[in-house]
Amino acid sequence: MPRPKEKSAQAQIVDAARKHFGQEVARVSAPGGENRSSFRLHLAERTVIATLRPNFRRTHLEAHVLTELGRHCSDLPQCLGVVGEIMFQSDVGKRRLNVEIAQVDGPAQLDLAAEAVAGIFRIHGAARQTELNEIMPHLGNNKDWVLNFVDAVDFLQGLGGISDQFDRIAAYERIDAPARQFVKWDCRSGNAAIGRDGKLRWFDFEYAGLRHGAEDIAWLIGDEAWPLAPQDMVDVVIDAFDPTCGIALPDYLDYLSVYLTFHAVQRLKLISKEAKKRGWLSKDRIRRYDDAGVHPEFAAQICRVGAYFSDQSELTAPLTPNFLEAQQGFETIAAQDAKRSA
């Protein structure tokens, strides 16, 4: 006899939802695309998000994180329960921040940026009221991770060479930060949405753990599709900064600058790799599917971010000319593309 086929992820989710909520699922949609782990379930009077990840341990940890944080802040989804390997959570809305931020003007962009950053700080503050800062896994706390993160600067070698003034050992030591604070991780703007109530909430806590704390802000500013100027984002961070985090603001900003420098290199490497494989993509498509920023204007933006933040610290200032050269190159490509399509 042939073996019965295993149920698809969607079929498993629908069965679990029917039992968990006691009602039929009218329709299923995939907000992040069919190849993602989360689905939007349309019930009689509401929608919920169901997540079935390859690693059920991460799912259970994420559910615990949402439950604990949800006791102290409302800047994230509510965990609605776990059935086996499937987690149900409240639907935070269809209006993703990465799309919304591109559809408004300067002052409105700054308002959205302020909401996003304030939400991150509130989430961190909520974690300090729980045991999460003791039980969560430490992120990037081994030698290989630190080496890989900093050594990515070799990608800039073809852009004027790496200056002899760059102290790689000092960079390793600065990035090798103790795990002192909860971080959501992956705070790209595609991982936040605005609900029907007008509130911005962060979602996707799959990779949450402990590190310095500024990494979450770095993920947002270092999102190549994030259109705000880096100097404006520094003002936003200063305004929203929570002094109860246990780190003095000058040290926080210095670490943010150094970390963002290497984060920008990582994003630049990813963009270049994907551009070689797939060619340039449209900005609308990138935002719609929360894809890597494989567009010359987005590549120029991450170079702009890298140049600004590298220049804020003596440790990374020797890398600033590399970013500026790369930025100029991508701006030239963008201008040529615009001329061809005019």
Side-chain angles (χ1 to χ4, degrees):
M1 273 182 76
R3 293 177 59 187
K5 290 184 178 179
E6 291 186 10
K7 286 185 179 179
S8 68
Q10 192 173 127
Q12 292 178 56
I13 286 171
V14 169
D15 284 350
R18 187 183 298 118
K19 295 172 185 174
H20 186 66
F21 296 106
Q23 56 185 284
E24 292 297 319
V25 177
R27 185 164 62 90
V28 179
S29 55
E34 295 292 339
N35 62 335
R36 299 293 177 93
S37 301
S38 292
F39 295 86
R40 176 173 281 117
L41 309 184
H42 299 255
L43 305 179
E45 297 179 351
R46 62 171 171 165
T47 58
V48 300
I49 301 297
T51 301
L52 174 58
R53 302 194 189 281
N55 187 331
F56 74 93
R57 291 184 179 84
R58 285 191 183 277
T59 301
H60 282 256
L61 183 62
E62 182 175 15
H64 181 68
V65 166
L66 294 181
T67 300
E68 290 299 303
L69 292 176
R71 302 183 200 279
H72 305 283
C73 79
S74 59
D75 299 279
L76 63 161
Q78 292 178 299
C79 178
L80 303 177
V82 178
V83 178
E85 300 179 10
I86 300 165
M87 178 181 68
F88 297 104
Q89 57 187 300
S90 60
D91 187 350
V92 296
K94 296 180 180 180
R95 297 165 56 199
R96 289 202 175 194
L97 177 59
N98 60 340
V99 175
E100 293 291 314
I101 197 76
Q103 295 178 344
V104 295
D105 58 11
Q109 283 187 340
L110 281 172
D111 288 343
L112 277 177
E115 285 186 54
V117 171
I120 291 172
F121 279 119
R122 284 194 295 267
I123 288 169
H124 291 178
R128 289 194 291 276
Q129 300 179 63
T130 71
E131 86 288 7
L132 293 176
N133 281 0
E134 283 77 51
I135 70 166
M136 294 299 289
H138 293 195
L139 303 177
N141 69 329
N142 62 70
K143 180 181 178 182
D144 287 343
W145 189 93
V146 172
L147 292 178
N148 177 70
F149 189 65
V150 173
D151 287 345
V153 296
D154 292 334
F155 177 78
L156 303 176
Q157 192 68 246
L159 299 165
I162 304 297
S163 169
D164 292 339
Q165 300 301 308
F166 174 59
D167 188 340
R168 198 175 295 240
I169 303 301
Y172 295 148
E173 292 173 350
R174 187 65 174 120
I175 290 298
D176 190 18
R180 62 198 300 174
Q181 185 165 224
F182 176 88
V183 286
K184 174 198 173 292
W185 210 250
D186 198 7
C187 281
R188 291 171 300 113
S189 55
N191 284 334
I194 301 167
R196 291 181 179 179
D197 58 358
K199 183 172 176 59
L200 186 151
R201 293 178 177 87
W202 287 97
F203 62 88
D204 195 353
F205 285 71
E206 178 186 6
Y207 296 109
L210 301 178
R211 217 169 189 281
H212 177 280
E215 292 87 356
D216 280 348
I217 303 296
W219 272 97
L220 177 61
I221 301 174
D223 175 358
E224 57 276 4
W226 189 246
L228 280 83
Q231 58 269 31
D232 291 338
M233 286 305 299
V234 171
D235 290 339
V236 169
V237 173
I238 291 171
D239 288 343
F241 182 72
D242 182 356
T244 68
C245 71
I247 306 169
L249 178 59
D251 183 65
Y252 190 96
L253 292 176
D254 178 74
Y255 179 83
L256 175 65
S257 295
V258 175
Y259 187 91
L260 246 173
T261 299
F262 300 109
H263 183 85
V265 178
Q266 294 283 354
R267 298 305 298 178
L268 190 56
K269 280 184 65 178
L270 176 63
I271 291 168
S272 298
K273 175 185 173 184
E274 293 298 313
K276 288 178 183 177
K277 185 165 62 176
R278 298 188 282 169
W280 296 116
L281 306 176
S282 77
K283 290 190 285 187
D284 286 344
R285 182 195 184 284
I286 290 166
R287 289 194 175 100
R288 189 181 314 119
Y289 294 104
D290 190 25
D291 208 343
V294 189
H295 188 283
E297 288 183 19
F298 287 165
Q301 169 66 5
I302 198 62
C303 292
R304 193 175 296 116
V305 168
Y308 177 85
F309 282 100
S310 62
D311 206 41
Q312 302 308 301
S313 170
E314 291 183 3
L315 183 59
T316 50
L319 302 173
T320 302
N322 302 94
F323 284 112
L324 291 174
E325 184 171 339
Q327 178 186 336
Q328 186 176 28
F330 287 121
E331 286 174 344
T332 299
I333 294 172
Q336 291 172 344
D337 286 355
K339 188 176 180 180
R340 277 194 293 269
S341 35

